[in-house]
Amino acid sequence: MNEALARPAVVSRLSDLIGRTPLLELCRTETGSRLLLKLEMYNPTGTAKIRMARAMVDAAERRGELRPGGRIIESTSGNTGLGLAVIAAERGYTFTAVVDHHAAPDKLRGMRALGTELVYVVDDGTEELATAAREELAEGMARGQDNTVFTEQHNNPANGVGYFPVAHELHQALDGRIDVLIGAVGTGGALCGTTRELRTLVPGCTTVGVEPKGSIAFGGPAHDYYQSGTGTPEGAEIGALVDFGLIDEGVKVGDIEAFATARAVARTGLLIGGSAGGVVHEALARLPALPPGSTMVALVNDGGEKYLDTVFDDDWMQARNLIDLDLEREIDETLTKLRRI
């Protein structure tokens, strides 16, 4: 087994299992170009974001802002909160997550199970994404409080640093042969952090950023969207970690396309999250046009298990006019064709 993918046999803390996530070849073209998925759901909590959660807490401790018995506060749609909940539990901190009902219910239940205090920025049951309001409340709760830190994931440099190991894992596993890196753009930490380090190892790699239609990082128009944990909604500031100098091309994928792709990929045996569906949708569209023998890596930042009540629930999808069975069949056919080569 490649050392980059090998996990230690015995660990003393759950966070010691972060990283060394596997690569899966989803499909390839007749010209030998292949689409590889970096399966970040194999991290503890089933998400990439525990990487940056640990890095942000490490940085706060080094600065002396967080000491034994301290409190962490973060605005989160779920996955960052799950990561912070684990790190807080291991190190004896209290963790408060400021959330809204846009988050997948399983993420909220998971944080609560891990001992997190949930504070809803609105508690009327609305599914509206309230990123700006969440961050304002989280910042206010931490202001002036001793031994309390608002990790502020959208503007925390440690977020990006937490993903530097992804670049090294990819470089080692693929012997430096990576032509395209494609991933979702939310805080910008995962894609831009990985790209920043990867370009020191593979200078010629192209980076493609994907956000939901309705998000504003790559321009308007702004409108609501259901993809969770990604994008920049109207009213929210584009995070400091979204470095447009590191993103060669930014594209948008709608909820219907993203969710249809996630549902189609599930029928290959792999559950991926809704925003990961958007990344894979764009990757599949680009794969046939790549030069022969190219390697494209898609960052799959979480699995689909947290979306069984949403993306993978027909009733939920139909109630929001998000289901497109014809599109799902087209993607099924594309995957079947490319997986037979």
Side-chain angles (χ1 to χ4, degrees):
M1 180 181 293
N2 191 305
E3 290 181 2
L5 305 183
R7 291 187 180 277
V10 178
V11 299
S12 59
R13 300 183 304 176
L14 188 65
S15 61
D16 292 334
L17 295 172
I18 294 172
R20 299 172 295 275
T21 55
L23 283 161
L24 172 71
E25 182 179 300
L26 181 65
C27 56
R28 65 168 58 213
T29 67
E30 292 180 348
T31 63
S33 293
R34 55 183 181 162
L35 172 58
L36 307 182
L37 308 184
K38 180 66 165 163
L39 299 181
E40 288 289 280
M41 71 277 277
Y42 284 89
N43 283 301
T45 71
T47 170
K49 292 192 175 182
I50 194 170
R51 291 182 185 263
M52 61 95 148
R54 179 174 63 181
M56 291 192 301
V57 174
D58 286 345
E61 290 175 341
R62 286 194 300 269
R63 293 192 301 266
E65 297 174 357
L66 197 57
R67 303 177 300 281
R71 183 186 188 193
I72 301 166
I73 301 175
E74 181 56 88
S75 160
T76 175
S77 59
N79 280 333
T80 299
L82 286 167
L84 285 169
V86 168
I87 304 304
E90 286 186 342
R91 303 187 188 185
Y93 299 127
T94 299
F95 173 48
T96 299
V98 180
V99 300
D100 54 40
H101 288 281
H102 181 85
D106 278 349
K107 295 179 184 178
L108 300 175
R109 289 192 288 262
M111 283 190 282
R112 187 179 290 113
L114 289 165
T116 301
E117 174 194 22
L118 299 185
V119 175
Y120 286 86
V121 68
V122 289
D123 204 14
D124 57 5
T126 179
E127 293 181 339
E128 182 181 351
L129 182 58
T131 303
R134 286 196 331 244
E135 292 181 357
E136 183 179 356
L137 178 58
E139 182 179 15
M141 291 174 65
R143 189 180 301 119
Q145 300 298 310
D146 182 53
N147 201 16
T148 298
V149 62
F150 170 35
T151 42
E152 198 178 1
Q153 59 175 313
H154 284 85
N155 296 301
N156 190 327
N159 177 341
V161 172
Y163 294 102
F164 285 5
V166 178
H168 291 274
E169 291 170 28
L170 292 174
H171 181 255
Q172 184 174 353
L174 299 173
D175 295 323
R177 182 60 192 273
I178 309 166
D179 300 292
V180 180
L181 178 70
I182 184 168
V185 177
T187 68
L191 186 64
C192 295
T194 301
T195 296
R196 183 176 300 280
E197 188 70 2
L198 189 60
R199 288 191 176 172
T200 69
L201 305 167
V202 187
C205 181
T206 296
T207 293
V208 178
V210 180
E211 70 172 349
K213 289 181 179 178
S215 175
I216 62 170
F218 302 134
H223 57 75
D224 292 341
Y225 54 87
Y226 286 98
Q227 293 174 64
S228 178
T230 187
T232 306
E234 186 175 20
E237 293 185 6
I238 298 172
L241 300 171
V242 180
D243 188 338
F244 294 102
L246 294 171
I247 301 172
D248 296 292
E249 186 176 355
V251 299
K252 296 174 181 285
V253 175
D255 290 334
I256 291 174
E257 293 78 11
F259 295 166
T261 304
R263 288 160 65 97
V265 170
R267 290 188 282 273
T268 72
L270 176 68
L271 284 171
I272 64 174
S275 62
V279 172
V280 174
H281 185 273
E282 183 65 24
L284 288 172
R286 290 171 175 267
L287 188 64
L290 292 179
S294 297
T295 295
M296 178 187 291
V297 175
L299 299 177
V300 174
N301 286 338
D302 72 348
E305 293 83 357
K306 302 179 185 112
Y307 307 94
L308 297 179
D309 293 333
T310 54
V311 175
F312 298 103
D313 183 270
D314 288 355
D315 292 338
W316 187 91
M317 292 280 288
Q318 288 170 346
R320 292 156 181 80
N321 297 314
L322 293 172
I323 198 163
D324 187 332
L325 296 179
D326 290 336
L327 179 57
E328 286 185 37
R329 281 191 287 270
E330 290 178 16
I331 300 167
D332 281 333
E333 291 171 2
T334 297
L335 286 170
T336 298
K337 176 183 176 181
L338 292 177
R339 287 169 65 83
R340 286 176 176 169
I341 294 172

